[in-house]
Amino acid sequence: MAESQRQELMGSGMDVSRPADDTVHLRLYGSWKMHAGLPPSADVLELLTTDPAIRRLTFDTTGLTGWDSGLLTFLLRILDYCTDHNLEADRSGLPDGVRRLLTLASAVPEKTDTRQTTKRPSLVARLGEQALNVGTAAADMLRFLGESALAGAALVRGRARFRQCDFALTVQECGAQALGIVSLISFLIGLILAFVGAIQLQQFGAQIYVADLVGIGMAREMGAMMTAIIMAGRTGAAFAAQLGTMTVNEEVDALRTLGISPMEFLVLPRMSALALMMPLLCLYADLVGMLGGLVVGTGMLDLSFTQYVNETIAAVSLADIVVGVSKSVVFGILVALSGCLRGMQCGRSSAAVGIAATSAVVTAIVLIIMTDAVFAVVTNEIGV
């Protein structure tokens, strides 16, 4: 290539000159837009490649009448070559806008495959992380229980702040609207208990004791537990979804900003309503379950209606009913606390709401089973 070369195509052009042995001066003029047919960068790169004495590159753009991304592409090829071969490129002669865009383009890091660079933590690190997560979750749960206790104390003193209409609506949702599913499940549970007992007791001619099995089983265990599990899947998940959606929409933060305690305004009415409705639903489930056993006893075991009812009355004591109702109150509080806890812990996305609802159901069921086991040990020790 000659020491000075001019190329001009459709209004755009460049001059390449050598003001010094180690310097190349590139002058750009005209309209450097893509539709104008820009000069190729290969000529400049050829000069930089063939002459090892060149160590510096300068620019002159005073003759530019317009430019777009075509100029940026041209310059990027040349500047990348200078960077790779340790050549000094003086950008002071370029327009301010071009310099800013070139700086922005060069500041973006090259995307790499994180799957190859990410190193999996060791087993000890994973165990430590899980232990820290468990500790954090336990601390959050204890904090939530303490705040719930304070809100309950405020309710006893008559200082809790929540709307009566919200409480009434929650009572309706936890009570009357749950009768259908509670009736179906309890009736089927009574049928199942009666069938299981009938198959074994018929071998000894003691089918009359099916009434004892169904009555005591429903009153002490199955009525309260199945009602609690139903409410965990139905109402506990709903509580978590409601509060989780409010957390996503920043409504909980708005209540705190207004000086209103979310524990009193949101959690307390739900916990009170479910604790109030659970004993009633438990008694209703006991009755429906015994009716399911009655159907099996009168239809399959040739027992009369009077025989079955009298045997049930003789078998089921007041202590059995009190134990079942006491469990239901505790189960109701656990279901409400689990749903509200997971709802208040919800993240800030729509997917987090679904995760909170699922976690609320799992937490409630686990707590119900553990609490029922504690009740079984305690009642056995005190002889109830």
Side-chain angles (χ1 to χ4, degrees), residues 142-175:
L142 290 176
R143 187 182 304 108
F144 187 83
L145 290 176
E147 293 176 354
S148 301
L150 293 176
L155 176 63
V156 173
R157 296 195 306 267
R159 297 181 179 179
R161 292 187 295 175
F162 61 86
R163 297 191 303 177
Q164 298 297 326
C165 59
D166 291 342
F167 175 74
L169 179 61
T170 308
V171 167
Q172 179 182 351
E173 294 174 349
C174 298

Side-chain angles (χ1 to χ4, degrees), residues 293-312:
L294 176 63
V295 171
V296 175
T298 56
M300 178 180 174
L301 302 178
D302 297 327
L303 298 174
S304 67
F305 177 83
T306 304
Q307 283 180 312
Y308 192 94
V309 172
N310 289 337
E311 185 64 25
T312 301

Side-chain angles (χ1 to χ4, degrees), residues 3-244:
E3 190 170 292
S4 178
Q5 178 183 17
R6 171 174 298 219
Q7 206 169 31
E8 190 167 348
L9 298 172
M10 297 179 64
S12 62
M14 67 178 180
D15 284 337
V16 181
S17 60
R18 294 282 294 273
D21 291 340
D22 64 343
T23 303
V24 171
H25 184 71
L26 182 61
R27 188 174 73 88
L28 307 177
Y29 57 89
S31 176
W32 278 72
K33 295 186 178 180
M34 296 186 67
H35 63 80
L38 304 178
S41 59
D43 294 340
V44 180
L45 295 178
E46 181 182 357
L47 174 61
L48 298 177
T49 304
T50 56
D51 193 343
I54 298 175
R55 307 306 304 166
R56 188 168 181 268
L57 177 65
T58 61
F59 298 94
D60 179 11
T61 58
T62 55
L64 280 180
T65 60
W67 58 273
D68 59 8
S69 58
L71 175 60
L72 295 175
T73 304
F74 175 85
L75 293 174
L76 279 174
R77 292 195 188 103
I78 298 175
L79 294 175
D80 288 343
Y81 179 87
C82 293
T83 302
D84 295 339
H85 294 81
N86 296 321
L87 301 181
E88 179 186 354
D90 185 2
R91 305 184 186 186
S92 60
L94 298 175
D96 291 340
V98 173
R99 290 202 303 269
R100 288 196 297 268
L101 290 174
L102 290 174
T103 302
L104 181 63
S106 60
V108 178
E110 183 180 358
K111 184 177 180 181
T112 57
D113 192 352
T114 56
R115 291 175 297 179
Q116 297 178 358
T117 58
T118 303
K119 198 174 181 181
R120 187 181 181 186
S122 63
L123 177 61
V124 176
R126 295 199 301 272
L127 291 176
E129 184 178 358
Q130 290 296 326
L132 291 175
N133 293 336
V134 170
T136 302
D140 291 341
M141 183 174 294
L142 290 176
R143 187 182 304 108
F144 187 83
L145 290 176
E147 293 176 354
S148 301
L150 293 176
L155 176 63
V156 173
R157 296 195 306 267
R159 297 181 179 179
R161 292 187 295 175
F162 61 86
R163 297 191 303 177
Q164 298 297 326
C165 59
D166 291 342
F167 175 74
L169 179 61
T170 308
V171 167
Q172 179 182 351
E173 294 174 349
C174 298
Q177 295 182 6
L179 289 177
I181 185 65
V182 171
S183 301
L184 175 63
I185 299 300
S186 299
F187 186 79
L188 294 178
I189 291 296
L191 284 176
I192 294 170
L193 287 176
F195 270 118
V196 172
I199 294 174
Q200 301 300 323
L201 293 174
Q202 273 185 321
Q203 301 177 9
F204 307 99
Q207 55 266 32
I208 186 63
Y209 293 109
V210 168
D212 299 57
L213 173 65
V214 175
I216 297 174
M218 291 299 301
R220 291 184 69 96
E221 292 290 341
M222 299 307 296
M225 180 180 293
M226 293 309 301
T227 303
I229 292 176
I230 292 170
M231 299 307 287
R234 179 187 178 278
T235 305
F239 286 173
Q242 291 167 4
L243 297 184

Side-chain angles (χ1 to χ4, degrees), residues 218-233 235-236 239 270-271 273-279 282 323-339 360 363-376:
M218 291 299 301
R220 291 184 69 96
E221 292 290 341
M222 299 307 296
M225 180 180 293
M226 293 309 301
T227 303
I229 292 176
I230 292 170
M231 299 307 287
T235 305
F239 286 173
R270 288 171 168 81
M271 184 173 61
L274 195 54
L276 181 64
M277 288 294 102
M278 277 294 292
C282 177
V323 170
V325 171
S326 301
K327 289 182 180 180
S328 68
V329 175
V330 178
F331 292 164
I333 295 174
L334 292 177
V335 170
L337 288 176
S338 300
T363 303
I365 292 177
V366 170
L367 292 177
I368 287 168
I369 301 301
M370 293 175 59
T371 306
D372 188 69
V374 173
F375 265 102

Side-chain angles (χ1 to χ4, degrees), residues 310-326:
N310 289 337
E311 185 64 25
T312 301
I313 294 174
V316 179
S317 64
L318 181 61
D320 298 327
I321 298 176
V322 170
V323 170
V325 171
S326 301

